[in-house]
Amino acid sequence: MDDTELVSLRRTLHKRPEPAWREFYTTATIVDALESLEADIDELYVGPDALSGDHRLALPPETELEAWYEQATQYDVDGDVLETLEGGYTGAVAVIEQGDGPTVGLRVDIDGLPRTEADNGTHEPALEGFRSEHEGAMHACGHDAHATIGVGVIDEIVDSDFQGTLKVFFQPAEEVIGGAKSMAKSEHIQDVEYLLALHIGLDHPTGEIVAGIDGFLAVAHLEATFSGEPAHAGGRPEQGRNANQALAAAVQNLYTIPRHSDGQTRINAGLIEGGSAANIIPEESRLVAEVRGETTELMEYMREHATRILESAARMHDCDLEIELGAEAPSATSDQALVSIVESVAGETPGVDNVLERDQLGGSEDATFLMREVQENGGLACYVGIGTDHPGGHHTSTFDVDEASLRHGVDVVTGALERISQERPSA
Amino acid sequence: MDDTELVSLRRTLHKRPEPAWREFYTTATIVDALESLEADIDELYVGPDALSGDHRLALPPETELEAWYEQATQYDVDGDVLETLEGGYTGAVAVIEQGDGPTVGLRVDIDGLPRTEADNGTHEPALEGFRSEHEGAMHACGHDAHATIGVGVIDEIVDSDFQGTLKVFFQPAEEVIGGAKSMAKSEHIQDVEYLLALHIGLDHPTGEIVAGIDGFLAVAHLEATFSGEPAHAGGRPEQGRNANQALAAAVQNLYTIPRHSDGQTRINAGLIEGGSAANIIPEESRLVAEVRGETTELMEYMREHATRILESAARMHDCDLEIELGAEAPSATSDQALVSIVESVAGETPGVDNVLERDQLGGSEDATFLMREVQENGGLACYVGIGTDHPGGHHTSTFDVDEASLRHGVDVVTGALERISQERPSA
Amino acid sequence: MDDTELVSLRRTLHKRPEPAWREFYTTATIVDALESLEADIDELYVGPDALSGDHRLALPPETELEAWYEQATQYDVDGDVLETLEGGYTGAVAVIEQGDGPTVGLRVDIDGLPRTEADNGTHEPALEGFRSEHEGAMHACGHDAHATIGVGVIDEIVDSDFQGTLKVFFQPAEEVIGGAKSMAKSEHIQDVEYLLALHIGLDHPTGEIVAGIDGFLAVAHLEATFSGEPAHAGGRPEQGRNANQALAAAVQNLYTIPRHSDGQTRINAGLIEGGSAANIIPEESRLVAEVRGETTELMEYMREHATRILESAARMHDCDLEIELGAEAPSATSDQALVSIVESVAGETPGVDNVLERDQLGGSEDATFLMREVQENGGLACYVGIGTDHPGGHHTSTFDVDEASLRHGVDVVTGALERISQERPSA
Amino acid sequence: MDDTELVSLRRTLHKRPEPAWREFYTTATIVDALESLEADIDELYVGPDALSGDHRLALPPETELEAWYEQATQYDVDGDVLETLEGGYTGAVAVIEQGDGPTVGLRVDIDGLPRTEADNGTHEPALEGFRSEHEGAMHACGHDAHATIGVGVIDEIVDSDFQGTLKVFFQPAEEVIGGAKSMAKSEHIQDVEYLLALHIGLDHPTGEIVAGIDGFLAVAHLEATFSGEPAHAGGRPEQGRNANQALAAAVQNLYTIPRHSDGQTRINAGLIEGGSAANIIPEESRLVAEVRGETTELMEYMREHATRILESAARMHDCDLEIELGAEAPSATSDQALVSIVESVAGETPGVDNVLERDQLGGSEDATFLMREVQENGGLACYVGIGTDHPGGHHTSTFDVDEASLRHGVDVVTGALERISQERPSA
């Protein structure tokens, strides 16, 4: 694929972003792209064949899945592929066998975010006509670029000196930390000896590469439902048990969990809703929160406090509480042997003018599930940062990528895979 | 209409409840029922002709109106009537001219509530097959019975000794205090010399009538939108401005407004929502609240404090705030001359075994707009309570009425109107 | 006592206010005043002999009692009397036997408040040199006037046509609702057939008398102690369990207890303290709150919610909680027979230019303990309001009384007692 | 001084702990101890001569100073010295001139904490009879040991090969970050070329030395006073403006300031108080808080948010606010040249069995003022950790030191000073 084709694929994906487990059009489009490559894909696992369905985390409601599926059916994509995906079995694994050598993996994620994209004269996608057509959804974290790089690497690897088996994991549902576990529990990862994952941007400019990213915060989601008792707010306020008050007390106090001297922690009550009308004492409310920690222990510290606070807030306002533990991901570390290879390859890649050996993510990523699986099987893993100028921050409505970095991603990753297949480093 | 017909109409309405300004099917069904009566309606004003469109308060979003309108079109009702109502011009005014005499009005409200109806073996509507077909909406305050009584009174008045003009106001959007003002600002109310309004239930058992209800709490709605700044909750929490935190601080503190020694006050943060995902610092949140007071002054006291608290909560978490003042209604008093007539008539009505002269509502009602309009024009007004055994409280999922009280309502009101036309009392 | 003597006694008491159970100088001064009267007091019970020591509520710490006692010993009062009072046995009961007739009681309270008195050119006590010498304490509710009226009534009754036995209860510790129960449980109240109590001011101007005051809010105090765990706030914040956070969550939420449609309720977290230094996670905090209700049931409703909120706030921040139930008082009603006598007498009293039959207190008073005791024994009770112009509100630093009303109080009460002894009304 | 004498001095100080700026007995005792040494002190600056009086931060109220001064006068210490200290001019600087060489400084702090010491069978000071005689005050951070080591070093240095001038700064008021600035602004520090400071414990066991401690959190104090309006809580709750509610909203929200991805931050609302009585709407409340950050920028981030939250909380409850900015301290770093010397000396010191080159404090220390002053003047500074087994954590009631570590402190510091005077390292 030349630069124009990379840009074109990225824009195609950008225009129709789909949030976690709803990547129907996205997966089908990736499959289309793979099948249009000159090279033959040796094996292509799609949907339920690409992952362990029972380990999908943080699935949306059925009605959501159906609505997005329905939408996808109206686009010009392969209906047979779509049907395979129905019910939220999105994603794919593509396999290239190219001579004798190790089995190496590349993981790219493909989902969008529930966010409305900016629509003004300074936002490139709006200017150039590839702004999200799905109002309220947006590729605000660059996964459109990731998927594109994944396809680009396959295209390039067949012309390289790579020897061995390459598996590219097009992973769904990263944004809800929901997809990696199902791929980590599939058979496809089990024989992977070396795994690369990548992310674009992260405040690194175009031309800068981070050979090994660490500092993945362990993360867990909690969904709390407060159930009270409705009552007429004017006539009988004392007969109500107010679920919005319980939620407000919870939100106020969740953010007060003591900071920890062992390292960074995080808390966010990202989504709330409750009550039905101004004149009814609110009967039910719901809160989706996440906790994070520099280590899994710190994350657990946060989760324990958060749970106690939720319970106390419910009791404080005489409400019942149900807590559903949602998705979670561990932390992980990039192995030095791979970091060194990436660093060296990046230094020789055209367009790359700065290489950092290591940097901290300071966020979470469920790639850690796959990295840990490979590492626990005796393999090595490394998470690579591909710098790109991005006008708005990640997850904001003005996020965008510098499309020049698509090529950098393809080249650095392909080069590193090639070298890994030759050097077969050990820990 | 005999008892069976009253019950049948009430159940027809109960089955398809429509919230405020969405009473498309309801209005069309009432028009159908009026046109099926033996008696001729002299004038029938529907939709935009029944009210002052500009004075409609608390309108829902266009998309809501459209979805409910769309639904109504699928029912077997008069399409021409429906078309008149499109855009949220619901309700009707029916006029009967019957000889020389005063112009009297009867106001009944017709809207449902955004509440899911109970569905179990003890809930009569579920047992008897007329439970709400509109999941999430319910006649949980008896307005189905009110509308039925309104039709029943017209049917009965033509056979009575009533002399004069009767106008029945089938008022939309009482539950959001949104409809009465638009009828109070229409021409129809201007020549009304005597006005009755009624409510069923209110914790009074079947067979009990309250001749004059007072104690209407003045009420006002506030809708607050907090706007912050999104950010990645793991990577850059400090770059966010958290709209959910602002809302939580607001809800916590709204309920703390000091009680007032001059009388009862109320506050409710009935509806909240905010944020988009667990991992994004919430950028926007919304709160719909109401304040009430035994007098308009007490309501204003609450509104002033609530406004200051909302502003401070926004500032506390560095968010912007927009407050939209919503619907509001004054308080009102039933005139003694009418109370005495109702009391006397009720005492002679079959099935009525207890009559209270006065009682307190302890809630709000936008009937007060119409009552005040009539009173300010020199007329008299009275708000009548029709007892009915109701298993669940008003606005709860198990609310239901004892259908025997439909007849009591029709008889007491018709009798009172008859007597009023004869006695023409003055204040 | 002439007007000058009344004023003089009131100012003597005003200058040295003593809070609840610390009325050492005050009691001794009252005893002095009684002994200086021309009339002989037949029996005088002081301190432990005036009340049931075991039923004293809301006693302050020993050290407080000692410090105030110590201070009193430095004034020119009878040392023997003082000694009797040591340990917080304050107050007195004076008995006058004057021929055959019923036993009637008059209750006046004598304690000051923990409040700093205003000290500026518009505050009469400051101008006239009788501002509180006890910095931080103040007669901000007129009990100095009450005690003075009590003495004045005894002086006047001996020259009146009163026939029977008069007992004047100089009651301590009203402000903490702590003293009346101990007098209600003493033998002195047991044979009282008619009881008057009085209060000056209450927003009624000089010259206005309220014959019977009702609307006493039932009240109860709660003292909560939160115990956490200290830790260095910089080095190990996660090791603390923060008692100030628990208290803040409690205060925030106590004020949110739903208003009750059955009547007025109150809540106040009047006194808080916690922690030891800026850099230590606060280990202990304390909260003194009160709840009130128009009826005892409403007060219990508030207390139940308050208790649950305190418990939940403690748990929310992982603290232990101890709740000490403090003083409490019921509600009570003035008997009509006595109200009528007071109304009639007041109408004939010089200087009184307006008489209201009834008014609502809207606050609490532990006189209700004594009123209920008398009423339960078959007697009658009445609480009289003596109007006085007061520049600042009750309990504020600029409160003061119009000394002309001292005479009104003495005359109305003496006249009423005289009439009661003659008429011996029954319920 | 032999070990017994070190222990004896430490216990003498431990028994009579004095909080910040109240170290009257402590300073006088140190002066006594210095004058009892065999060696002559060349210059001894006491009280106002030891510091810049105008730069004392976080002074307590006059009455506090007076009460503690009064107490000190009752002990057997030099009255002339005491008089010098009156008014909160505590601390001392002792100077030893010993031949040609650089001017080096040693800083030890001397104040206690407002904390009640444990009194049970496992707390050594209680068992051995040197528990605090000042109830409510305690040497809970080992400054008694610091002062003792300061004296011990002077005693030992005169017998060492140290060549140059040694200044020992016995610094008051570290716990309130109040004393160091006044010494940093005095003339005594201006010619110091090398500065050592030390702290005992910090979770390092007896026998462990940390050559250079870093990670001082920048810190600032804020004292907020909320002023509202009192009112009778039962009678006129609406007339109050509730300062306790304002404070509770502030405390709740202060702890919610977003964590920062640039590094550690801290917040603590360590001390609160408000209101006067259960039945008065609280008129005034006070809050002493501190904010910290890994860098001064992070501390400023916290202070800015805290200020906005305090202002909003006041406004939310209609109160006025006054914020007094209190003490603050920057961060600082130990210079490698000195760290290397301390590390090397410690490795050769008897009793020392483990030496760490560097560790993080994770707390704050106003020694940073002195370190920065020396560093800005071109000198070098180093903060040394002296391990000691301590049963309870710093600032808790069971804190205690293993007295064996007194000798380690004296030896390591004396050895390091000796070596510094010989090597005269440069940055």
Side-chain angles (χ1 to χ4, degrees), chain C residues 119-162:
Chain C
D119 190 3
N120 57 50
T122 60
H123 187 55
E124 195 77 8
L127 275 178
E128 298 292 325
F130 62 97
R131 180 179 174 274
S132 169
E133 292 176 357
H134 297 165
E135 275 307 306
M138 176 184 174
H139 269 299
C141 197
H143 298 191
D144 49 347
H146 298 174
T148 301
I149 292 173
V151 175
V153 165
I154 290 175
D155 185 53
E156 201 167 304
I157 205 87
V158 298
D159 297 327
S160 77
D161 295 336
F162 174 84

Side-chain angles (χ1 to χ4, degrees), chain A residues 81-351:
Chain A
V81 170
L82 265 193
E83 266 180 44
T84 322
L85 311 174
E86 196 169 1
Y89 295 86
T90 48
V93 178
V95 183
I96 303 291
E97 289 165 1
Q98 187 159 297
D100 244 24
T103 301
V104 302
L106 170 65
R107 177 272 201 182
V108 292
D109 42 12
I110 65 174
D111 53 327
L113 279 161
R115 162 156 296 286
T116 301
E117 185 158 14
D119 189 4
N120 57 50
T122 60
H123 187 57
E124 196 77 9
L127 275 178
E128 298 292 325
F130 62 98
R131 179 178 174 275
S132 169
E133 292 176 355
H134 297 166
E135 276 306 307
M138 175 185 176
H139 269 299
C141 196
H143 299 191
D144 49 346
H146 298 174
T148 302
I149 292 172
V151 175
V153 165
I154 290 174
D155 185 52
E156 201 166 305
I157 205 86
V158 298
D159 297 326
S160 76
D161 295 337
F162 174 84
Q163 290 286 313
T165 301
L166 169 64
K167 297 182 171 184
V168 180
F169 296 85
F170 294 92
Q171 182 208 302
E174 189 277 332
E175 293 292 358
V176 297
I177 343 170
K181 191 171 189 181
S182 70
M183 285 191 152
K185 294 295 179 189
S186 80
E187 53 178 354
H188 305 299
I189 197 72
Q190 297 309 322
D191 60 354
V192 172
E193 295 161 75
Y194 303 99
L195 179 73
L196 294 188
L198 63 84
H199 208 297
I200 204 161
L202 306 176
D203 297 330
H204 295 283
T206 303
E208 186 161 286
I209 299 293
V210 186
I213 286 183
D214 295 302
F216 298 100
L217 299 177
V219 63
H221 285 183
L222 297 98
E223 182 173 332
T225 304
F226 297 95
S227 304
E229 188 77 28
H232 191 284
R236 291 278 176 269
E238 72 278 6
Q239 289 177 3
R241 294 186 293 124
N242 192 323
N244 281 0
Q245 281 192 283
L247 181 142
V251 172
Q252 278 267 289
N253 286 281
L254 279 173
Y255 286 94
T256 72
I257 301 175
R259 284 141 166 94
H260 201 297
S261 61
D262 285 354
Q264 290 275 5
T265 54
R266 297 282 184 273
I267 175 82
N268 190 38
L271 191 65
I272 60 175
E273 59 181 357
S276 54
N279 62 340
I280 303 179
I281 300 293
E283 168 180 17
E284 189 169 296
S285 62
R286 207 171 65 91
L287 158 65
V288 184
E290 57 153 51
V291 292
R292 305 196 196 212
E294 223 175 296
T295 62
T296 305
E297 288 70 32
L298 286 168
M299 181 273 276
E300 293 292 359
Y301 160 84
M302 293 300 287
R303 181 154 62 178
E304 188 187 318
H305 278 254
T307 304
R308 199 191 60 241
I309 286 168
L310 290 166
E311 288 167 355
S312 307
R315 168 131 181 74
M316 186 172 261
H317 294 283
D318 210 8
C319 289
D320 296 317
L321 171 70
E322 206 173 316
I323 298 180
E324 211 174 299
L325 294 180
E328 67 178 272
S331 56
T333 308
S334 290
D335 289 300
Q336 185 58 39
L338 297 193
V339 172
S340 299
I341 287 177
V342 174
E343 190 182 11
S344 154
V345 167
E348 301 156 8
T349 304

Side-chain angles (χ1 to χ4, degrees), chain D residues 6 14 29 60 116 127 163 171 195 207 225 255 260 283 329 361 367:
Chain D
L6 288 175
H14 188 89
T29 300
T116 301
L127 274 179
Q163 290 285 315
Q171 182 210 301
L195 179 74
T225 303
Y255 285 95
H260 201 297
E283 169 180 16
L361 181 70

